[in-house]
Amino acid sequence: MGDSNKNPYDVKTVDHQFWKKYPSLVTSIRPGKVVGDPTVTDISHLKYTKEGIFYTLSHGTPLRPVRQPSMALKAKYKHSLPLTAAKIADLKSLCETVISACHRPFYNSLL
């Protein structure tokens, strides 16, 4: 048996700067904008990729992108979020009972 049984978790520690606010990618897949333009029921093919959503109105025609807003990512949090009193009490209790001594300084730094 290898070290995988001794350390079953691969933990990555992140802070508030890790989290990003993702924009709503698509509010509508309707290909047209005004009355008389194609509607969703006219779409014959949809393709979802990491670059966006593409569609065609008939088989064999080139894919066209669905209108999408800017993909600029912004920080979700400007600073770390405060801990509630209940969370602080729970962490203190865990430090006294479950959390090993070598990890307690980290948790105490949060309190």
Side-chain angles (χ1 to χ4, degrees):
M1 304 209 149
D3 283 338
S4 63
N5 288 338
K6 292 181 182 179
N7 296 313
Y9 302 106
D10 180 21
V11 178
K12 306 271 191 242
T13 303
V14 297
D15 64 8
H16 68 279
Q17 296 171 341
F18 170 82
W19 304 102
K20 303 296 179 203
K21 188 180 213 175
Y22 291 91
S24 174
L25 297 180
V26 175
T27 57
S28 172
I29 60 170
R30 183 172 187 233
K33 293 182 181 180
V34 296
V35 175
D37 280 353
T39 63
V40 174
T41 57
D42 297 320
I43 293 174
S44 67
H45 181 135
L46 276 174
K47 181 177 182 180
Y48 291 82
T49 70
K50 62 183 175 183
E51 286 80 30
I53 302 172
F54 300 87
Y55 73 95
T56 63
L57 298 176
S58 62
H59 294 288
T61 59
L63 291 170
R64 295 186 274 186
V66 171
R67 294 180 316 276
Q68 298 178 49
S70 168
M71 292 295 293
L73 297 180
K74 296 179 181 176
K76 185 166 181 155
Y77 305 109
K78 292 181 181 178
H79 51 79
S80 59
L81 300 177
L83 297 175
T84 64
K87 180 64 75 179
I88 290 171
D90 288 342
L91 287 173
K92 285 181 180 178
S93 173
L94 288 171
C95 281
E96 294 169 3
T97 57
V98 177
I99 296 173
S100 62
C102 65
H103 297 297
R104 287 181 191 154
F106 169 76
Y107 288 98
N108 288 328
S109 74
L110 300 175
L111 310 176

